[in-house]
Amino acid sequence: MNHAIRVHEYGGPEALVWEDVPLPAPRPGEALVRHHAIGLNYIDVYFRTGLYKAPSLPATIGMEAAGVVEAVGEGVTEVAPGDRVAYATAPIGAYAEARSIKADRLVKLPDAIAFEQAAAMMLQGMTAGFLLNRTYKVQAGQTILVHAAAGGVGLIMVQWAKHLGATVIGSVGTEAKAEIARAHGADHVVIGTESLPERVKEITGGAMLPVVFDSVGRDTFLTSLDCLAPFGMMVSYGNASGPVSIPDIGVLAAKGSLYLTRPTLATYTARREDLEGSAKALFEVVAKGAVKINVNQRFALKDAAEAHRALEARRTTGSTVLTP
């Protein structure tokens, strides 16, 4: 028996349907993974609503999970039955009790990493890692801005950036979330964004910032640009408030010859060696205790709709997992 959450038509959380699905035998190059925990991420909302299109409908959504390999297809060398593994890459399909996936997209879990911890950190943690170490290589002594600093990626970024020696300004929506960001190392926390450029100017003595990491999207994009120093980089990596639209690329010139990038984990882990390197870097900072992974919410996989409602209402902090 195998169950999955599937979307038959794009829509709200009610579009998530719990139903029986066949147990997929692994094809050549694939491994069958029995999930022990599944990560909840905002990209799942995008696939549910149709902002990001599934290859076809009905579709099983979800990008991230951890579990045990039950079988492998012909030619698989990366993993073997019995291996503890995790993944956080396309194609979608993680909202299931078991699935087959390309074996070269799996990474083996160190013994010290529990299934829930792995499912809670692979997508968010590797995202934080490539943003801070590759998209913009944060240096000790720099001051940076992290939006949604009490969210899943945000909390990891705050801790990891502090480990790198940066001063971190966190932007959050409520005082409760401000306390969470401070508790995880944020040096300065700003509630709301109306006064954000003024606060950044005050904190930096007028120098402004070399980089802003923004997962919120439409509501914070222009404000984020106003926080950057000349030649600063705007890293827009999410659309929690809606997709970003730039009416005139000249705004980047007017605000100081700024750089803009829209990176994705899929691109940064497309090569096997990059995937393994990203996972290794994440496992190392977690093993050192420099980054602590907080599983603050748990839902049964069959209750994924309720999990989506909590996520979209911004009632979640840290990471959330679904359990089959």
Side-chain angles (χ1 to χ4, degrees), residues 66-67 84-86 107-115 118-119 121-122 283:
R84 302 172 66 253
V85 297
V107 295
K108 295 181 183 180
L109 288 178
D111 292 340
I113 304 293
F115 289 120
M121 77 179 187
M122 291 301 293
F283 295 154

Side-chain angles (χ1 to χ4, degrees), residues 18-296:
W18 176 250
E19 55 191 20
D20 293 339
V21 295
L23 184 67
R27 294 176 295 185
E30 292 184 341
L32 173 63
V33 179
R34 175 69 58 179
H35 293 152
H36 286 234
I38 297 151
L40 176 73
N41 297 283
Y42 223 97
I43 193 171
D44 304 343
V45 173
Y46 303 157
F47 276 108
R48 189 203 75 217
T49 62
L51 178 63
Y52 292 175
K53 301 299 183 185
S56 62
L57 293 178
T60 301
I61 64 172
M63 296 284 288
E64 172 183 45
V68 175
V69 175
E70 286 195 342
V72 297
E74 182 183 353
V76 169
T77 59
E78 295 87 355
V79 296
D83 283 347
R84 302 172 66 253
V85 297
Y87 64 88
T89 60
I92 57 174
Y95 281 26
E97 292 176 327
R99 74 176 293 192
S100 287
I101 187 172
K102 289 184 178 179
D104 67 2
R105 296 290 88 196
L106 299 171
V107 295
K108 295 181 183 180
L109 288 178
D111 292 340
I113 304 293
F115 289 120
E116 279 197 0
Q117 188 180 39
M121 77 179 187
M122 291 301 293
L123 191 150
Q124 295 171 350
M126 289 196 298
T127 296
F130 84 73
L131 291 173
L132 294 169
N133 295 302
R134 296 177 64 193
T135 302
Y136 183 93
K137 192 169 181 60
V138 172
Q139 304 292 321
Q142 290 183 320
T143 300
I144 69 171
L145 171 62
V146 176
H147 281 288
V153 177
L155 279 183
I156 296 173
M157 289 190 73
V158 168
Q159 296 175 80
W160 204 327
K162 291 299 297 177
H163 178 62
L164 295 172
T167 295
V168 180
I169 303 171
S171 167
V172 298
T174 67
E175 179 56 43
K177 290 188 175 182
E179 287 301 317
I180 293 170
R182 292 188 191 102
H184 287 79
D187 299 279
H188 309 274
V189 181
V190 180
I191 301 173
T193 58
E194 288 185 9
S195 63
L196 191 54
E198 290 77 15
R199 287 286 289 122
V200 167
K201 186 175 182 180
E202 175 186 331
I203 292 166
T204 62
M208 308 310 282
L209 304 172
V211 63
V212 172
F213 296 99
D214 189 346
S215 62
V216 177
R218 181 174 56 207
D219 290 353
T220 54
F221 182 78
L222 292 177
T223 300
S224 294
L225 296 185
D226 288 334
C227 294
L228 288 166
F231 311 111
M233 178 175 284
M234 173 64 180
V235 182
S236 178
Y237 70 97
N239 315 291
S241 66
V244 172
S245 176
I246 306 177
D248 180 2
I249 196 173
V251 69
L252 301 175
K255 293 182 181 293
S257 298
L258 304 178
Y259 293 88
L260 168 63
T261 184
R262 182 60 171 85
T264 69
L265 179 63
T267 307
Y268 277 84
T269 58
R271 299 187 306 168
R272 176 71 183 174
E273 54 265 43
D274 289 331
L275 173 62
E276 291 179 325
S278 293
K280 180 181 178 182
L282 175 60
F283 295 154
E284 286 177 351
V285 292
V286 171
K288 289 177 182 176
V291 172
K292 294 178 173 60
I293 305 301
N294 300 283
V295 181
N296 292 341

